[in-house]
């Protein structure tokens, strides 16, 4: 993989590349089809531009921007840079539906693809639309956020809203969403298109299992309300649906009473088998911690602070002196929620739970923080990394879901043979039991009840040639994926990235027919979500 998409879109080479496409289409190497196979494989005829100029005649509350599209060709991954022709900044839902309907009605050749863009924290261009139209969801103005504090409390939000803002609003009512991501500066539409998995998912399921209702604009431009009881097929299709069946415009998110404080704990293990046994034990209990995660530390110092948290233990001296020195440790991270006046009961409960675990006794690190500080923990690190210029670097992340029966083999191979250390970024490892998760959503998980999320959250150092370079980390990721394939581990990618429709078919497995049918029903011209490269062509008939 010598060819990197970032190479061809570096600022200095950018103009050259555009020129190259126009003039030299036929000789473009296949490998350059990294933005969109479709638009490179068929000659760029005029329709996309034609459609754009006719779009500008629509009466909208928002507006189209045809210049200065650079930011829509960027994402957190910082690896793919595929510029669109235009950005729609919608104000109302009708702006989105009118635009899509217009394109759908005149565009039988599906030249102009459409991608919803939340906060652009995708990793491999998933929210980009090469030579297409990007819908900037953050400019959508809905009705105000409204909290219903009834028997089954919920909040109605616009899909472009950041989870951090939802947290602040619902807390005014003493309520909060139940299931989170580790980082809250992500939009509702963006995480619901994937799943939203974090340390609460073992208990509540991912974020997509905590939604009562959605408003969706389909690939035909229809605006539909959907829920378990109304347009259920679309509802479950869109949840975890990678933006393939519609653009989510509003969501009704389930809430619970919010705690005020959090006891946040880290303990270390030297054996993976003991660590995993304790994690699996904790997630099997009825009365347990409210959050269970974990991560791997290999040959590092200053191990207790990694970038994804602002963990500040009671004994920072002991923590900072901890040195894994060539060895591998597994850090269990748990949290217990409580209210200020419940301090004593909480401490007893935590002690009881900890007494049942087999961690290295001298490695108990604890901290007490507010609920908001706990949930928003990554943001503190973001600020520090931004200040150092280390936030906007390439992020070649790899997220895998590994069946429980194969996790020991996986850990042995990856952490003892493939990875030399964990200095490129945190590597999360924690189990969930999906028996109570909703299996009607589009999310793909391994077949077993219990599986582990293993997240390699690497940052690459620009221009480096060493073990922290993008090339090196990507090749390491390839070796990990290769191993999973060769050993038939039964792993599934989360926030998956594939280059061809065939690979996607393998990813969806038994669900592929359902996915295809839903595509033909809700987005038959395959206008939506081009950045994933699942469907390149219209699906007029279903072969189910
Ligand atoms: C620092 C960091 C930490 C993270 N931690 C976690 C974590 O703990 N758990 C977890 O599950 N994920 C995590 N993620 C991944 C994150 O959930 C996804 O990257 C998510 O897509 C980002 O949301 P966004 O709003 O930036 O989406 P974007 O990148 O803008 O979009 C993501 C995808 O959803 C589509 N989309 C966006 N909005 C809509 C909409 N309204 N309707 C339909 N489709 C839409 C886009 O077209 C694209 O395909 C993390 C990411 C980062 C950068
Ligand atoms: C791109 O599409 C063409 C025709 O649609 C196909 O023959 C080719 O294999 C595709 N290439 C890739 C890299 O997917
Ligand atoms: C651990 O890291 C140090 C410094 O980065 C390095 O010199 C040493 O070889 C590493 N040890 C192992 C066992 O990889
Ligand atoms: C998963 O959870 C279900 C329901 O709580 C339980 O019956 C089952 O034993 C759990 N599976 C494992 C492997 O722990
Ligand atoms: C989904 O779960 C239900 C209830 O647990 C089960 O009966 C059904 O077979 C499952 N469906 C799939 C596709 O796994």
């Amino acid at each position: 993989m010598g060819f990197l998409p970032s190479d061809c879109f570096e600022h200095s080479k950018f103009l050259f590349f555009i020129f190259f496409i126009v003039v030299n289409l036929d000789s473009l190497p296949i490998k350059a089809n990294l933005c969109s196979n479709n638009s490179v494989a068929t000659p760029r005829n005029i329709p996309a531009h034609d459609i754009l100029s006719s779009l500008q005649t629509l009466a909208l509350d928002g507006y189209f921007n045809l210049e200065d599209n650079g930011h829509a060709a960027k994402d957190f991954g910082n690896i793919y840079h595929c510029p669109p022709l235009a950005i729609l900044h919608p104000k109302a839902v009708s702006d989105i539906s009118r635009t899509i309907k217009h394109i759908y009605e005149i565009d039988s050749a599906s030249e102009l693809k459409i991608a919803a863009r939340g906060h652009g924290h995708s990793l491999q261009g998933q929210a980009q639309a090469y030579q297409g139209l990007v819908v900037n969801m953050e400019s959508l103005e809905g009705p105000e956020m409204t909290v219903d504090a009834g028997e089954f409390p919920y909040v109605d939000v616009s899909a472009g809203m950041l989870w951090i803002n939802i947290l602040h609003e619902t807390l005014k009512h003493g309520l909060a969403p139940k299931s989170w991501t580790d980082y809250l500066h992500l939009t509702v539409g963006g995480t619901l298109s994937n799943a939203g998995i974090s340390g609460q998912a073992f208990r509540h399921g991912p974020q997509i299992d905590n939604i009562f209702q959605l408003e969706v604009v389909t690939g035909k431009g229809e605006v539909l309300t959907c829920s378990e009881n109304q347009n259920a097929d679309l509802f479950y299709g869109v949840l975890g649906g990678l933006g393939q069946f519609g653009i989510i415009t509003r969501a009704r998110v389930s809430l619970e009473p919010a705690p005020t404080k959090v006891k946040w704990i880290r303990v270390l293990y030297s054996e993976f088998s003991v660590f995993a046994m304790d994690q699996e034990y904790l997630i099997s209990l009825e009365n347990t911690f409210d959050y269970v995660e974990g991560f791997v530390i290999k040959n590092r110092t200053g191990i207790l602070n990694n970038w994804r948290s602002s963990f500040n233990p009671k004994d920072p001296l002991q923590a900072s002196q901890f040195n894994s020195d060539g060895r591998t440790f597994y850090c269990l991270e748990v949290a217990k929620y409580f209210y200020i006046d419940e301090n004593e009961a909480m401490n007893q409960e935590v002690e009881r739970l900890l007494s049942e675990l087999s961690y290295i006794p001298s490695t108990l690190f604890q901290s007490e923080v507010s609920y908001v500080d706990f949930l928003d923990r990554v943001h503190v690190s973001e600020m520090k990394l931004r200040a150092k210029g280390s936030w906007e670097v390439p992020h070649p992340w790899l997220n895998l879901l590994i069946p429980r029966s194969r996790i020991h083999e996986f850990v042995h191979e990856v952490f003892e043979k493939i990875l030399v250390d964990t200095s490129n970024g945190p590597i999360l490892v924690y189990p969930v039991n999906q028996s109570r998760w909703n299996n009607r959503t589009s999310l793909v998980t391994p077949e077993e009840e219990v599986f582990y999320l293993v997240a390699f959250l690497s940052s690459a150092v620009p221009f480096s040639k060493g073990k922290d370079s993008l090339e090196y980390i990507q090749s390491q990721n390839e070796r990990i994926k290769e191993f999973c394939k060769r050993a038939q581990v039964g792993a599934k990618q989360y926030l998956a990235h594939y280059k061809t429709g065939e690979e996607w078919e393998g990813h969806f497995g038994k669900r592929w027919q359902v996915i295809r049918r839903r595509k033909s029903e809700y987005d038959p011209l395959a206008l939506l979500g081009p950045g994933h490269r699942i469907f390149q062509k219209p699906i007029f008939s279903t072969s189910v």
Side-chain angles (χ1 to χ4, degrees), residues 31 103 323 373 426:
K31 270 185 179 170
I103 297 172
N323 184 342
D373 286 349

Short mmCIF file of all heavy atoms in Angstrom, two decimals, residues 31 103 323 373 426:
data_model
loop_
_atom_site.label_atom_id
_atom_site.label_comp_id
_atom_site.label_asym_id
_atom_site.label_seq_id
_atom_site.Cartn_x
_atom_site.Cartn_y
_atom_site.Cartn_z
N LYS A 31 -5.77 2.33 -8.18
CA LYS A 31 -5.51 2.66 -6.78
C LYS A 31 -5.93 4.08 -6.42
O LYS A 31 -6.15 4.37 -5.26
CB LYS A 31 -4.03 2.50 -6.47
CG LYS A 31 -3.67 1.11 -6.00
CD LYS A 31 -2.22 1.09 -5.60
CE LYS A 31 -1.83 -0.29 -5.08
NZ LYS A 31 -0.37 -0.36 -4.92
N ILE A 103 -32.95 16.12 -6.62
CA ILE A 103 -31.88 15.30 -7.21
C ILE A 103 -32.44 13.95 -7.63
O ILE A 103 -32.17 13.44 -8.71
CB ILE A 103 -30.71 15.12 -6.21
CG1 ILE A 103 -30.07 16.48 -5.91
CG2 ILE A 103 -29.66 14.16 -6.76
CD1 ILE A 103 -29.04 16.46 -4.80
N ASN A 323 5.83 2.16 35.99
CA ASN A 323 6.54 1.99 34.72
C ASN A 323 6.36 0.56 34.27
O ASN A 323 6.71 -0.37 34.98
CB ASN A 323 8.02 2.30 34.97
CG ASN A 323 8.81 2.24 33.68
OD1 ASN A 323 8.36 1.67 32.68
ND2 ASN A 323 9.99 2.82 33.71
N ASP A 373 -17.73 16.02 34.26
CA ASP A 373 -16.29 15.88 34.03
C ASP A 373 -15.94 14.45 33.62
O ASP A 373 -15.04 14.22 32.82
CB ASP A 373 -15.49 16.28 35.26
CG ASP A 373 -15.47 17.80 35.44
OD1 ASP A 373 -15.90 18.51 34.49
OD2 ASP A 373 -15.05 18.27 36.51
N PRO A 426 -4.03 4.99 22.87
CA PRO A 426 -4.67 3.99 23.72
C PRO A 426 -5.21 2.80 22.92
O PRO A 426 -5.61 2.96 21.77
CB PRO A 426 -5.80 4.75 24.41
CG PRO A 426 -5.91 6.07 23.73
CD PRO A 426 -4.70 6.29 22.91
#
